[in-house]
Amino acid sequence: MINLQRLKAVVVKEFIHILRDWRSLALAVAIPVLLLALFAYALNMDLKQVPTAVIDRSMSPQSRDLISQFDGSSYFSIEHSLQTLDEVQSAMRQRRILVALLIERDFARHIEQGKTAQVQLIVDGSDANIGRLALGYAQALGWLYSQQVLVERSRHLGSEIQVGQVEGHMRAWYNQGLVSTYNIVPGIIAIVMVVIASMLASVTVAREWETGTMEQLISTPIRRLELTLGKAIPLYFIGIVDVLIAAGLGQWLFDVPLRGEPALVLLVASVFLVGVLFYGLVLSIVLKKQVVANQIALITGFLPTLVLSGFVFTIANMPLPIRILSHIFPARYFIAMLRSIYLKGVGLEMMVSNFVLLTLYAAVMVVIANRALKLRLN
């Protein structure tokens, strides 16, 4: 049975510690802003205005139409007209261009004769992400150009030939513009919460051991669950404030839509926060050293969340052993739920399995923290 008076005393004590350590408190509030700016601006996977060069050996109206397709799009910016592949290689080595479009002399003749006209796209493969995106967009622009050629040819020939046409319409649901920031901001909320747990929760009990006040706490009638809850509750409120800051800035700065219920975001964030806070407490109880506990929390919490949660790298593209390993990290389920709430507007009934696993993780961490404290106090 939890004694609310004793629990309140521990909570008040922890709040006093937090308010006295104003540097850590200021850092805890600043972390969402810093991470949001760092990841949302720097980790932008959208392809915009890639510097492009053109070698136009055809010098025909047809080749100029194709070049205008590229230059008129938001993905490529034609900045150089070159003559040889050596010039392309030199410009690419100097990072003046990332893409080069090569149009051969017989380009216009092949089009006029109804033959397949081929062009070559050279991409700087040292940046694999830009390379893949550039190839994909170039193929789409080439397909659009070929459709225009087909229509013009059918009009020119008139009734002499009947040309069948296939008109394709591409549409992405939930994120129509395929804006990468929409996927990044929900992931940042998980990163923020893990960092807060690593920075604050992992040192709170270790501080008691190092300062010698743990012996005083042991001598009081306080119970283990009251102590761990009293340590976690103030950090929980700080974590929720950080969630609100990250979510608010995401909508204000980047117009990230929140199509689901805000209360549902707070619910799943609360469950995830309980789990990561008590994981930090486990490290703090077991290791007894603030620096060591903080470093281990960052290594075992922040790094897996960054790499194995689906935040940056798609889990489906990982090797099977890594995909299996990713199931033990709660951020995988949390980020998947946040993206569904933000972009798809789904309710809890559509995420039952993820929510159950996240709740199970939180419950297990609470039990382990209290068990670890019992072993340390004996």
Side-chain angles (χ1 to χ4, degrees), residues 163-219:
V163 181
Q165 298 182 35
V166 177
E167 185 177 0
H169 295 277
M170 295 177 289
R171 182 179 181 184
W173 284 10
Y174 312 122
N175 184 1
Q176 187 169 352
L178 297 177
V179 181
S180 61
T181 308
Y182 289 5
N183 290 324
I184 291 173
V185 169
I188 290 175
I189 296 177
I191 296 291
V192 166
M193 297 167 74
V194 171
V195 170
I196 292 300
S198 302
M199 185 180 69
L200 299 178
S202 62
V203 302
T204 180
V205 178
R207 182 179 61 238
E208 304 285 0
W209 291 111
E210 292 184 357
T211 58
T213 55
M214 181 59 76
E215 288 76 7
Q216 299 176 9
L217 287 173
I218 295 173
S219 64

Side-chain angles (χ1 to χ4, degrees), residues 172-299:
W173 284 10
Y174 312 122
N175 184 1
Q176 187 169 352
L178 297 177
V179 181
S180 61
T181 308
Y182 289 5
N183 290 324
I184 291 173
V185 169
I188 290 175
I189 296 177
I191 296 291
V192 166
M193 297 167 74
V194 171
V195 170
I196 292 300
S198 302
M199 185 180 69
L200 299 178
S202 62
V203 302
T204 180
V205 178
R207 182 179 61 238
E208 304 285 0
W209 291 111
E210 292 184 357
T211 58
T213 55
M214 181 59 76
E215 288 76 7
Q216 299 176 9
L217 287 173
I218 295 173
S219 64
T220 65
I222 192 168
R223 296 182 177 179
R224 298 189 306 274
L225 183 58
E226 294 167 353
L227 178 59
T228 54
L229 284 177
K231 294 283 187 182
I233 288 175
L235 302 180
Y236 168 83
F237 283 108
I238 293 176
I240 290 297
V241 169
D242 284 337
V243 170
L244 295 175
I245 292 174
L249 288 177
Q251 289 188 279
W252 180 48
L253 293 177
F254 304 105
D255 296 323
V256 179
L258 175 55
R259 300 189 176 107
E261 293 294 333
L264 188 55
V265 173
L266 290 178
L267 174 62
V268 297
S270 296
V271 177
F272 179 72
L273 187 57
V274 169
V276 295
L277 283 177
F278 275 88
Y279 174 71
L281 288 176
V282 169
L283 296 178
S284 187
I285 292 168
V286 172
L287 298 174
K288 289 189 175 182
K289 299 293 183 182
Q290 296 185 63
V291 174
V292 176
N294 189 263
Q295 291 177 344
I296 296 299
L298 285 172
I299 293 173

Side-chain angles (χ1 to χ4, degrees), residues 13-246:
K13 171 183 174 298
E14 287 303 309
F15 269 119
I16 293 173
H17 272 300
I18 292 172
L19 294 176
R20 284 177 177 174
D21 188 8
W22 61 270
R23 293 179 182 85
S24 296
L25 181 60
L27 187 60
V29 176
I31 279 177
V33 180
L34 294 174
L35 289 179
L36 195 68
L38 177 64
F39 283 107
Y41 282 115
L43 193 63
N44 194 318
M45 299 179 184
D46 298 328
L47 187 68
K48 298 293 182 182
Q49 298 299 315
V50 175
T52 305
V54 171
I55 299 179
D56 186 4
R57 294 172 178 168
S58 176
M59 300 298 292
S60 62
Q62 291 86 347
S63 65
R64 288 192 290 271
D65 286 344
L66 177 61
I67 294 171
S68 67
Q69 286 278 356
F70 278 77
D71 201 28
S73 72
S74 61
Y75 309 117
F76 301 95
S77 175
I78 306 296
E79 298 182 359
H80 302 278
S81 179
L82 305 179
Q83 301 300 320
T84 66
L85 289 177
D86 289 338
E87 291 178 337
V88 170
Q89 187 176 33
S90 176
M92 202 165 282
R93 283 178 173 176
Q94 298 172 27
R95 299 290 292 182
R96 290 189 289 117
I97 63 171
L98 296 177
V99 174
L101 180 66
L102 173 58
I103 304 174
E104 295 292 354
R105 289 184 177 86
D106 54 4
F107 178 79
R109 180 169 56 85
H110 282 177
I111 289 181
E112 291 173 352
Q113 294 176 356
K115 297 179 181 179
T116 300
Q118 296 183 349
V119 297
Q120 183 178 9
L121 190 77
I122 304 171
V123 177
D124 185 352
S126 64
D127 191 326
N129 181 57
I130 289 181
R132 283 192 296 267
L133 291 175
L135 289 173
Y137 288 129
Q139 288 175 347
L141 291 173
W143 180 83
L144 289 174
Y145 178 75
S146 67
Q147 293 299 302
Q148 292 179 5
V149 170
L150 187 63
V151 171
E152 290 297 326
R153 182 170 172 77
S154 65
R155 289 175 180 172
H156 176 72
L157 296 176
S159 60
E160 297 178 15
I161 186 172
Q162 296 294 325
V163 181
Q165 298 182 35
V166 177
E167 185 177 0
H169 295 277
M170 295 177 289
R171 182 179 181 184
W173 284 10
Y174 312 122
N175 184 1
Q176 187 169 352
L178 297 177
V179 181
S180 61
T181 308
Y182 289 5
N183 290 324
I184 291 173
V185 169
I188 290 175
I189 296 177
I191 296 291
V192 166
M193 297 167 74
V194 171
V195 170
I196 292 300
S198 302
M199 185 180 69
L200 299 178
S202 62
V203 302
T204 180
V205 178
R207 182 179 61 238
E208 304 285 0
W209 291 111
E210 292 184 357
T211 58
T213 55
M214 181 59 76
E215 288 76 7
Q216 299 176 9
L217 287 173
I218 295 173
S219 64
T220 65
I222 192 168
R223 296 182 177 179
R224 298 189 306 274
L225 183 58
E226 294 167 353
L227 178 59
T228 54
L229 284 177
K231 294 283 187 182
I233 288 175
L235 302 180
Y236 168 83
F237 283 108
I238 293 176
I240 290 297
V241 169
D242 284 337
V243 170
L244 295 175
I245 292 174

